[in-house]
Amino acid sequence: MSMFHRKEHIVPGLNTASLPDLIFSVLFFFMIVTHMRKVVLKVQYKVPQGTELTRLTKKSAVSNIYIGKPSRDMQATAGNTTRIQLNDKYASVSDVIDYVSAEKNRMSPEDQQQMTVSIKADKNTRMNVITDVKQALRQAKALRISYSAVERK
Amino acid sequence: MFHHFSHNVPGLNTTSTADISFMLLIFFLVTTSMDVDKGLSRQLPPPELKKESEQTNVSKSNLMTLQITSDNRLLVDDQPADISKLRNRIEEFVHSRGKRHLISIKADPNSNYNTYFQIQNEIVAAYNVIRNQCAIQKYGRRYDLCSQDEKEIIKDLCPQRIAEDYNTGEEGGTK
């Protein structure tokens, strides 16, 4: 068995010079596919499930209306009834018209053409709130709406 | 007087670059979200349109009424119906009536948004099926593969005619 000569050799250390580059590319991947949260949610909502959903393509032409019960830490001050949230604060139905008009003015002319209002409402909301919001949107001439939902599994 | 030593400059120590970029990565993972916005696209009628004047033009036989009661059940033409069967019913209805059909939705103010959404979803599904059939018949491919002009023509051929009753319960409507 003297065929195998066991030589003592030193294992070189793993070269980690490219590790930062690898992590940077993961970082850039995440920076591209994700987006920053813009508003602090003050309502909690669980959107309904549907099958015929379309993706909202243009982020700059979308404004959001959140409808739901106040989140747990806000319930002491805001109560337990369904509220509408626009930007960072609670609002009433009459504020929706002003909000949508303001959003519309903020957008560029080509975005105004395809402005979409995404209604993110909790699935246990009563219909009168939804109907009120829709009437307000009609008044504000924001006629393209999208009922936010998740794909049914 | 000035001694110029020739000495090698040591290489920059870059072992901590990985840690720094990890920090950045974790920061972005925490502050951003990945959820894509999806939803059911709908078009609202313009505010000046008088719904009553439109409804008088539609005869009873071309009208399908969908009603959501306050306990979240669906009534189709005043008969109780199942939401899962709604899609086929609307398809049949639109096929037989063609362009003259009208679907009317009435939701009770106390009903649930989820029920309403499911019904809207079924309506959109039914219309998608009809437009697909129309596109295959006319252009030999699916509706979503058609060009913008072809889509406009198909939209014209198979319009979505839906009337919604905006009953908020404040004008003394049904309970």
Side-chain angles (χ1 to χ4, degrees), chain A residues 120 123 126 134 143 152, chain B residues 37 44 110 112 116 118:
Chain A
K120 297 179 190 296
K123 54 184 178 182
R126 282 168 70 221
K134 273 161 71 179
L143 300 178
R152 193 182 294 154
Chain B
D37 255 356
L44 292 175
N110 287 320
N112 210 319
Y116 175 79
Q118 296 308 331

Side-chain angles (χ1 to χ4, degrees), chain B residues 40-143:
Chain B
L40 200 64
S41 288
R42 299 273 66 199
Q43 186 89 28
L44 292 175
E48 61 273 3
L49 205 80
K50 286 275 181 296
K51 206 147 52 60
E52 285 80 7
S53 63
E54 204 188 22
Q55 236 170 17
T56 46
N57 300 334
V58 182
S59 72
K60 260 283 195 277
S61 62
N62 289 331
L63 182 71
M64 182 186 222
T65 57
L66 305 176
Q67 229 175 320
I68 309 170
T69 62
S70 55
D71 50 351
N72 297 321
R73 278 178 315 173
L74 171 69
L75 299 180
V76 179
D77 295 331
D78 295 325
Q79 301 291 320
D82 202 15
I83 293 182
S84 57
K85 296 196 182 85
L86 187 63
R87 190 181 301 198
N88 288 329
R89 258 186 102 159
I90 293 174
E91 260 175 62
E92 255 170 55
F93 174 76
V94 176
H95 254 307
S96 57
R97 282 2 180 254
K99 272 182 168 182
R100 290 186 314 262
H101 76 277
L102 183 73
I103 297 173
S104 142
I105 309 172
K106 276 183 193 163
D108 191 276
N110 287 320
S111 62
N112 210 319
Y113 171 58
N114 192 31
T115 320
Y116 175 79
F117 181 86
Q118 296 308 331
I119 288 170
Q120 283 280 13
N121 188 49
E122 292 305 307
I123 292 173
V124 173
Y127 274 118
N128 280 348
V129 170
I130 289 161
R131 284 188 173 169
N132 252 336
Q133 285 171 354
C134 190
I136 286 172
Q137 216 173 54
K138 207 163 157 59
Y139 300 110
R141 67 194 113 147
R142 274 172 38 217
Y143 176 68

